[in-house]
Amino acid sequence: MEASLWRVFGGTRGGANRARLFRAVEETPRNTNRLATDLELDFKTVSHHQEVLLDANLVQRSGDHYGAVYLPSELARRHSETIDSVFEELGFDDR
């Protein structure tokens, strides 16, 4: 799991935005539009990073289409300590 987290969050420039998105849905599940507004990111940017997080099974989608809400997956909840550790090492954690 740790290697996968490093790839998703530390392997590219987008890792910081993915970490912000992950923390945001961890705090309060939200749809793409709300995330874009709350994080001051472009809708397409948020949508792209959500797909990366979905592919990595770190978030799940509840609902369909525009109103779909994103929240942490069961896998992410089980590995929350590892996620916290990786974020801390990458300097992404502001908790």
Side-chain angles (χ1 to χ4, degrees), residues 12-92:
T12 65
R13 290 184 315 161
N17 279 332
R18 283 191 281 280
R20 290 178 63 211
L21 285 166
F22 182 81
R23 286 298 193 214
V25 299
E26 193 176 44
E27 178 185 307
T28 304
R30 308 168 214 208
N31 68 19
T32 305
N33 189 55
R34 176 77 188 272
L35 283 163
T37 300
D38 291 351
L39 299 176
E40 298 179 350
L41 294 170
D42 182 74
F43 183 91
K44 287 183 180 182
T45 299
V46 171
S47 183
H48 166 74
H49 291 305
Q50 284 173 322
E51 290 302 317
V52 173
L53 293 171
L54 280 166
D55 289 346
N57 195 25
L58 293 169
V59 298
Q60 63 187 43
R61 183 175 25 223
S62 177
D64 294 322
H65 307 294
Y66 183 76
V69 173
Y70 293 82
L71 59 155
S73 68
E74 181 59 36
L75 177 70
R77 285 191 282 275
R78 282 196 317 264
H79 294 281
S80 63
E81 289 181 17
T82 305
I83 293 169
D84 291 346
S85 175
V86 168
F87 281 15
E88 185 178 329
E89 287 187 54
L90 289 168
F92 294 157

